[in-house]
């Protein structure tokens, strides 16, 4: 029983740290731009951004840094699927494609990761799955005599 409790503590503790590692983005009014935040709402402040034109993903069209609120405005010159790449320099990032209309406006997007309850459900499911696998192999090694 102590092994199970230690196992649960060791696996549950990192799950609380994983919550801040998701990345979300949305478009906003007042220009052609994107806003990027972590799952907890903290902005991707001063993160590196690279924008690629439709059909030319090998050449950077525009690059720069997000502002203190995690926003970046760019000037598309054609409609189509634009790709943006954002990195905070600490291992978190996002590569996503956004659609620009014929009027050179972004189509409204609001991508969000899993909410807290969905993350908890996934975490608990992983823990139960790993525990079940552990019990399966432990029972397989134990010889039952009747």
């Amino acid at each position: 029983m102590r092994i199970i409790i230690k196992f649960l503590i060791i696996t549950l503790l990192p799950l609380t740290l994983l919550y801040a590692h998701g990345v979300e983005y949305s478009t906003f009014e007042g220009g052609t731009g994107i806003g990027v935040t972590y799952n907890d709402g903290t902005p991707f402040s001063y993160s590196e951004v690279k924008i690629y034109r439709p059909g030319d993903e090998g050449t950077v069209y525009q690059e720069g840094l997000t502002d203190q609120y995690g926003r970046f405005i760019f000037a598309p010159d054609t409609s189509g699927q634009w790709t943006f790449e954002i990195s905070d320099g600490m291992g978190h990032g996002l590569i996503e494609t956004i659609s620009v209309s014929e009027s050179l406006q972004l189509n409204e997007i609001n991508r969000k990761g899993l909410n807290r309850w969905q993350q908890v459900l996934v975490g608990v499911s992983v823990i139960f799955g790993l525990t079940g696998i552990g019990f399966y192999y432990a029972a397989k090694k134990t010889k039952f005599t009747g």
Side-chain angles (χ1 to χ4, degrees), residues 129-140:
L130 292 174
T131 304
I133 292 170
F135 280 133
Y136 171 75
Y137 283 111
K140 199 172 176 182

Side-chain angles (χ1 to χ4, degrees), residues 74-138:
F74 71 104
D77 60 356
T78 185
S79 61
Q81 299 294 316
W82 289 74
T83 302
F84 67 92
E85 180 180 328
I86 299 181
S87 174
D88 70 355
M90 296 183 294
H92 303 106
L94 177 69
I95 298 174
E96 196 64 56
T97 302
I98 53 178
S99 178
V100 174
S101 69
E102 292 292 328
S103 62
L104 301 181
Q105 296 296 316
L106 288 178
N107 295 330
E108 185 63 31
I109 313 170
N110 194 358
R111 297 273 170 99
K112 296 207 177 255
L114 300 176
N115 67 37
R116 183 171 287 261
W117 293 111
Q118 290 170 328
Q119 289 179 343
V120 168
L121 179 63
V122 168
V124 169
S125 299
V126 168
I127 290 168
F128 278 116
L130 292 174
T131 304
I133 292 170
F135 280 133
Y136 171 75
Y137 283 111

Side-chain angles (χ1 to χ4, degrees), residues 3-144:
I3 293 173
I4 295 171
I5 292 172
K6 286 180 184 178
F7 175 76
L8 290 176
I9 290 173
I10 290 171
T11 54
L12 284 176
L13 185 60
L15 289 177
T16 61
L17 302 174
L18 290 177
Y19 182 69
H21 290 262
V23 178
E24 302 173 352
Y25 74 94
S26 63
T27 59
F28 57 89
E29 301 260 339
T32 303
I34 52 175
V36 184
T37 62
Y38 296 100
N39 279 347
D40 66 358
T42 305
F44 247 50
S45 301
Y46 310 110
S47 296
E48 182 181 340
V49 179
K50 293 180 182 178
I51 306 286
Y52 301 92
R53 297 184 71 190
D56 189 14
E57 282 77 26
T59 306
V60 176
Y61 171 74
Q62 186 176 348
E63 62 185 320
L65 298 175
T66 60
D67 66 6
Q68 68 182 359
Y69 304 108
R71 298 178 302 195
F72 184 80
I73 295 177
F74 71 104
D77 60 356
T78 185
S79 61
Q81 299 294 316
W82 289 74
T83 302
F84 67 92
E85 180 180 328
I86 299 181
S87 174
D88 70 355
M90 296 183 294
H92 303 106
L94 177 69
I95 298 174
E96 196 64 56
T97 302
I98 53 178
S99 178
V100 174
S101 69
E102 292 292 328
S103 62
L104 301 181
Q105 296 296 316
L106 288 178
N107 295 330
E108 185 63 31
I109 313 170
N110 194 358
R111 297 273 170 99
K112 296 207 177 255
L114 300 176
N115 67 37
R116 183 171 287 261
W117 293 111
Q118 290 170 328
Q119 289 179 343
V120 168
L121 179 63
V122 168
V124 169
S125 299
V126 168
I127 290 168
F128 278 116
L130 292 174
T131 304
I133 292 170
F135 280 133
Y136 171 75
Y137 283 111
K140 199 172 176 182
K141 291 179 182 180
T142 306
K143 301 225 182 219
F144 291 104

